[in-house]
Amino acid sequence: MNPSERLLSLVENYLAQTALPAEPERLYTPIGYSLAGGGKRLRPVLLMLSHAIFSDNAPQALPAAAAIELFHNFTLLHDDIMDHAPLRRGKPSVYAKWGENVAILSGDAMMIAAYDRLARLQTPQLAQILAVFNRTALEVCEGQQYDMDFEERQKVSVAEYMQMIELKTSVLLAGAVVIGALLGGASEADCRRLRRFAVELGLAFQLQDDLLDSYGDERLGKTIGGDILEGKKTYLMITAMSRASEAEREVLRRTHADATLTDAEKIAAVKAVYDRLDVPHLTEQQIEVRFERALAQLDELDADPARVEPLRTYAESLLGRKH
Amino acid sequence: MNPSERLLSLVENYLAQTALPAEPERLYTPIGYSLAGGGKRLRPVLLMLSHAIFSDNAPQALPAAAAIELFHNFTLLHDDIMDHAPLRRGKPSVYAKWGENVAILSGDAMMIAAYDRLARLQTPQLAQILAVFNRTALEVCEGQQYDMDFEERQKVSVAEYMQMIELKTSVLLAGAVVIGALLGGASEADCRRLRRFAVELGLAFQLQDDLLDSYGDERLGKTIGGDILEGKKTYLMITAMSRASEAEREVLRRTHADATLTDAEKIAAVKAVYDRLDVPHLTEQQIEVRFERALAQLDELDADPARVEPLRTYAESLLGRKH
């Protein structure tokens, strides 16, 4: 096992040991279901990798890693209600399986369970870590609100979209690495660098997600073109809108709702505009810029490069970069 | 101003000073709306009165008082979605005014804001206080889940009902007084006594609420008989069911849904059964027992009785006892 796999297995063990009460059944069963639903455990692994740069005491950081994962899963439970999403990681969402009230309330309990893990940290830095966690958590809510606001708006700029995904996706990665670093005893300057690393990594990761949804990747289980069929405002769509002629804009706006077209025709029509406007290439460029900025922050850390390497390798694997 | 009014005004000032971000507007505006919606500020005042038994440094406890009030208001936002409640304190609920998604997400942000206030406590007891808060918060969710479960069940025992309202109502009062006491430097034994005080007070308070809904009180703005018209499982209903003949049970079960009766007739029919089964008197007795048990705990405190007096007076005023 490489370092990130070893830390992932520590996280999985810790999460599996987290006993939940049995009653009331409809409050706690969905939490176990959601936690067992898999996922990459991206956020807790980032926390552990960041912590491992500064400390060999991995178990110390596990409650924080679990807190971050519980918080992330809480956001999924509530987002799935707000988005009326029937599926999550290929299985029925809690919302679809148990209904809305259960998803609201067990989501709430899951957020409290996250704070409960934080309270178990044996550290004099608890107040500082709690403050980082709270700020992060509020920003994630802000990101979700902007995301919903943008779906109702005609026009969203690329800058607005980047700010939204920074809040909705990047800040939780940033919170994870900063909390890991704080627990490991990192300096303020290194916490700042790791924060910037994670913000840029998160942006690159989200843009790649947008790109793969339309242009595919066999590693992804998703149907290709889902975003196009939903008419979602992704980086590709917003970039295309900002460069399109009036005629092309009409295609981008209307195709997903055009009942005379098959799904395949809709996807082909929108991708033809994307291709004409060089959108895939521009997106790849943006991913590359963000990813390079992220890695540059790692070079600045006041730490033995050998200890930083596992985090760098993990970031590269996330973005599908061969090492 | 008496002591509780003075502490209430400190709490109101502190809450009013709590600046919320302006954007995203649909995330933060409902939080301000909900906090400005009034209410007695029962929980933060109890926290401050408990703290004042042991400490003269009231400002120290204000972030915790605000945290408890924010948490309580968060539960109202989400409960109103789950109960489809159009009104809250005589005004449109956040759910009714802005819709479900806004109520979910700004409720979430409100819970995080509660934890944000806790993180501002300048105290070495933060981990302990956070643990009490988390346990309390989870139990409140459990109470809400049992409440929803009970609405779907045919039969609920008096003991089950008491356990549910202990979780749904009492534990948050208990969390408030324990956190106040901890911040004031109370002993473990006194924290336990204050916890029991608040649990019993909360039960008395909830039973009185049930009683007044059917038998009225000019201090209450509520329509008399609302619980009867909704067919709600209150202490009165559950006690009546446990003592009723089969014929009386049919009246209790069916009256609220009987389309041939006016509201006034429904209320009169159910209350006739309650009266025949001595339910109002039994409820008053139970309120009295619980309230006496609560006050007895205050007598046991290892503190100057003069410092305990304001909390006792406040508890008496809550239950409408003249002093």
Side-chain angles (χ1 to χ4, degrees), chain A residues 26 28 78 100 108 142 149, chain B residues 26 28 78 108 142 149:
Chain A
R26 286 203 289 179
Y28 290 114
H78 280 192
E100 186 177 292
D108 293 343
E142 292 178 4
D149 288 347
Chain B
R26 286 203 290 179
Y28 290 113
H78 281 192
D108 293 342
E142 292 177 4
D149 288 347

Side-chain angles (χ1 to χ4, degrees), chain B residues 146-164:
Chain B
Y146 282 123
D147 195 10
M148 295 194 296
D149 288 347
F150 289 178
E151 287 305 320
E152 293 177 14
R153 275 169 49 181
Q154 271 289 339
K155 198 169 149 46
V156 174
S157 72
V158 172
E160 286 174 321
Y161 182 77
M162 296 303 283
Q163 195 213 355
M164 183 276 284

Side-chain angles (χ1 to χ4, degrees), chain B residues 90-110:
Chain B
K91 294 197 302 178
S93 65
V94 168
Y95 155 75
K97 194 173 164 81
W98 281 278
E100 187 177 292
N101 285 1
V102 165
I104 292 173
L105 197 61
S106 52
D108 293 342
M110 207 161 184

